[in-house]
Amino acid sequence: PITAIPETAVVHRNNQTVAFRISGDRAAGAPVTLGRRMDGMSEILSGLNIGDKVVVSPPDNILEGTKVKLAQ
């Protein structure tokens, strides 16, 4: 299976490509390796697992451990 997330969930920090996954009620930065991009989605080759929830549009000031709330 292919793991893909919205392109908006991918950010570049400190020379790394990162997605912020949600761990409990906190953001946890995960360095990711991207594959193909299509229809607004980015394939994740490594760094996330199938089923991980990510911050779809992380604000510029998001940090490791920032408290987040899942949208209903």
Side-chain angles (χ1 to χ4, degrees):
I2 294 174
T3 301
I5 61 174
E7 287 180 355
T8 58
V10 178
V11 296
H12 300 281
R13 300 274 173 93
N14 302 321
N15 296 319
Q16 286 189 315
T17 304
V18 176
F20 283 91
R21 63 182 174 78
I22 299 171
S23 179
D25 65 348
R26 303 286 174 173
V32 294
T33 302
L34 300 179
R36 297 172 291 171
R37 293 182 183 154
M38 52 190 188
D39 298 326
M41 302 294 283
S42 292
E43 178 184 19
I44 303 299
L45 300 176
S46 67
L48 293 174
N49 296 310
I50 293 174
D52 282 348
K53 292 178 175 45
V54 297
V55 179
V56 174
S57 295
D60 291 338
N61 63 345
I62 194 169
L63 300 170
E64 184 78 21
T66 298
K67 192 167 185 168
V68 294
K69 183 178 178 182
L70 287 175
Q72 299 297 322

